[in-house]
């Protein structure tokens, strides 16, 4: 079955021309299955819909509830999309979009201008058909569906509504770096979800309808999968530095609906159970290098990166792992 041979996930911007062509072909075929075989579990719609289409099953933190399954749920979710992709091309992989490596020349640079061209160009030349075609990585049209999935809104074109005020990638990097050294999974997961949420808004804009800013629509945007592969890559980098994946909120045998064949313990051991890895691990050295040499030691210990917007400082609540920093588990963890 798909997924039994090792998969190496590469950076989206490092793909060869052949890999880009194959990636487009796979997404095109998955989207075509919406029309030709709508009952298949491998259609683009039938995989993407789990994130938020009516009965949202994805786990995200809200103002009243910390969802401990945020990272493992999304790990299985993008894995399921990768498996659907591999039913069409057994050697394909889900690439990641490394948003932490992007630098805007101006604070007013729109995110749209920083995205890889393979997802921003509406049309591309398909060398297999020798024709100019609509780029399947540019957008997705949610089809008219019936039954339990029926919606009066469909068909719908999912878009990215980026604007000139959205290029604050330094803030996202700072928040990623502040979460990465947290030694407890629960602390890391909760703090890490903040930059994740910001990047969804940066991609979709402040108008959430039919964009990546909305939980209901986000996963229908093809960029979602490359973005979340990088979210997973950063977690994978955290796992390399932390041997204890225990959680106070989730048992090792707990599964995550609707992916009930996968437990937290299995998902944490993804290399052995899901047969994939990343070409380049996310490393704490990246974070340390974000600050001046004089502050490196302080940053490495307390993970506190100054975050500013023009002349006005953002107020950022950092959750520091007291056991990791002080050796005292009872120390004040809210700084």
């Amino acid at each position: 079955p798909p997924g039994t041979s090792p998969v190496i996930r590469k950076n989206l911007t490092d793909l060869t021309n052949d890999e880009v062509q194959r990636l487009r072909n796979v997404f095109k075929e998955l989207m075509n299955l919406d029309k030709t075989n709508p009952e298949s579990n491998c259609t683009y719609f039938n995989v993407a819909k789990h994130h938020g289409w009516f009965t949202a099953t994805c786990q995200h933190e809200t103002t009243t509830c910390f969802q401990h399954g945020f990272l493992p749920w999304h790990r299985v979710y993008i894995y399921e999309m990768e498996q659907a992709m591999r039913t069409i091309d057994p050697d394909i992989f889900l690439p990641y979009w490394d948003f932490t490596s992007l630098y805007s020349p101006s604070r007013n640079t729109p995110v749209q201008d920083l995205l890889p061209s393979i997802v921003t160009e509406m049309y591309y030349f398909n060398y297999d058909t020798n024709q100019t075609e609509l780029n399947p990585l540019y957008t997705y049209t949610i089809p008219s569906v019936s039954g339990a999935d029926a919606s009066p809104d469909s068909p719908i074109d999912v878009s990215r509504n980026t604007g000139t005020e959205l290029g604050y990638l330094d803030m996202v990097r700072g928040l990623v770096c502040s979460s990465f050294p947290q030694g407890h999974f629960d602390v890391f997961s909760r703090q890490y979800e903040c930059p994740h949420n910001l990047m969804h808004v940066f991609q979709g804009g402040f108008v959430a309808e039919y964009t990546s800013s909305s939980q209901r629509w986000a996963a229908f945007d093809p960029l979602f999968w490359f973005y979340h592969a990088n979210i997973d890559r950063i977690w994978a980098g955290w796992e390399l530095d932390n041997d204890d994946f225990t959680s106070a909120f989730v048992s090792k045998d707990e599964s995550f609906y609707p992916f009930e064949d996968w437990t937290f313990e299995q998902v944490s051991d993804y290399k052995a159970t899901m047969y994939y890895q990343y070409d380049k691990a996310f490393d704490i050295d990246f974070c340390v290098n974000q600050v001046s040499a004089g502050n490196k030691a302080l940053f490495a210990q307390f993970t506190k990166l100054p975050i500013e917007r023009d002349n006005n400082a953002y107020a950022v609540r950092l959750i520091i792992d007291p056991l990791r920093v002080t050796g005292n588990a009872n120390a004040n963890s809210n700084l």
Side-chain angles (χ1 to χ4, degrees):
T4 55
S5 59
V7 174
I8 306 296
R9 294 179 179 173
K10 295 173 55 176
N11 193 324
L12 186 65
T13 59
D14 292 337
L15 301 184
T16 65
N17 290 336
D18 177 66
E19 288 169 336
V20 170
Q21 179 69 33
R22 289 168 53 205
L23 184 65
R24 282 176 169 148
N25 288 345
V26 164
F27 269 72
K28 178 183 176 181
E29 288 302 313
L30 287 177
M31 293 173 182
N32 284 341
L33 284 174
D34 289 339
K35 303 174 184 177
T36 62
N37 190 10
E39 301 302 318
S40 169
N41 291 329
C42 294
T43 73
Y44 189 86
F45 175 82
N46 283 339
V47 177
K49 71 179 183 180
H50 291 300
H51 192 265
W53 187 258
F54 289 106
T55 54
T57 59
C58 70
Q59 297 204 16
H60 286 286
E61 183 176 2
T62 67
T63 56
T64 59
C65 179
F66 165 48
Q67 292 285 359
H68 54 263
F70 161 62
L71 286 171
W73 190 96
H74 284 85
R75 173 168 284 178
V76 179
Y77 185 46
I78 64 172
Y79 174 80
E80 291 295 320
M81 175 57 80
E82 188 171 59
Q83 296 312 292
M85 294 165 61
R86 299 188 81 200
T87 63
I88 296 171
D89 182 344
D91 296 320
I92 201 70
F93 56 87
L94 184 65
Y96 61 89
W97 172 48
D98 183 10
F99 56 86
T100 62
S101 67
L102 301 179
Y103 290 88
S104 57
S106 165
R107 285 184 178 270
N108 291 324
T109 302
V111 171
Q112 181 72 14
D113 292 352
L114 301 174
L115 299 180
S117 60
I118 63 173
V119 300
T120 59
E121 295 174 343
M122 184 177 295
Y123 296 95
Y124 77 106
F125 187 80
N126 188 334
Y127 289 96
D128 291 344
T129 63
N130 204 32
Q131 293 180 335
T132 298
E133 299 180 1
L134 183 66
N135 181 8
L137 305 181
Y138 174 74
T139 188
Y140 171 70
T141 300
I142 299 175
S144 297
V145 291
S146 58
D149 293 324
S151 169
D153 297 326
S154 59
I156 303 162
D157 290 324
V158 178
S159 62
R160 302 174 199 126
N161 188 30
T162 56
T164 57
E165 75 278 21
L166 301 180
Y168 295 98
L169 294 169
D170 52 348
M171 179 170 66
V172 171
R173 281 193 299 274
L175 291 171
V176 168
C177 289
S178 72
S179 64
F180 193 74
Q182 309 304 333
H184 295 165
F185 173 80
D186 295 329
V187 179
F188 166 72
S189 177
R190 187 171 190 177
Q191 190 164 331
Y192 180 38
E193 192 171 355
C194 179
H196 155 271
N197 295 344
L198 283 174
M199 279 305 296
H200 269 296
V201 176
F202 287 178
Q203 295 167 64
F206 290 110
V207 179
E209 189 173 29
Y210 309 141
T211 75
S212 297
S213 299
S214 166
Q215 179 178 337
R216 181 177 178 185
W217 311 108
F220 293 110
D221 182 351
L223 181 60
F224 171 95
W225 305 100
F226 315 135
Y227 167 62
H228 261 279
N230 196 56
I231 293 292
D232 183 72
R233 183 180 75 100
I234 294 173
W235 179 27
W238 180 89
E239 288 177 296
L240 291 175
D241 283 349
N242 296 274
D243 297 328
D244 185 2
F245 304 150
T246 59
S247 167
F249 301 95
V250 55
S251 70
K252 66 179 183 178
D253 297 323
E254 184 171 337
S255 60
F256 306 95
Y257 180 82
F259 313 117
E260 294 171 314
D261 290 337
W262 292 98
T263 66
F264 181 56
E265 183 177 42
Q266 291 172 322
V267 171
S268 298
D269 193 19
Y270 67 96
K271 288 183 181 179
T273 59
M274 305 172 103
Y275 305 102
Y276 75 86
Q277 57 186 302
Y278 292 96
D279 61 345
K280 299 174 185 176
F282 186 86
D283 196 287
I284 187 59
D285 288 343
F286 167 87
C287 293
V288 174
N289 290 333
Q290 299 302 302
V291 295
S292 64
N295 291 329
K296 281 185 179 180
L298 182 64
F299 178 77
Q301 183 176 7
F302 292 104
T303 70
K304 194 170 185 179
L305 185 66
I307 300 167
E308 296 181 354
R309 176 176 180 175
D310 299 328
N311 296 321
N312 300 315
Y314 279 101
V316 178
R317 179 173 180 263
L318 299 182
I319 304 174
I320 304 299
D321 177 354
L323 183 62
R324 178 114 166 190
V325 174
T326 69
N328 179 5
N330 296 318
N332 187 354
S333 63
N334 294 327
L335 304 181

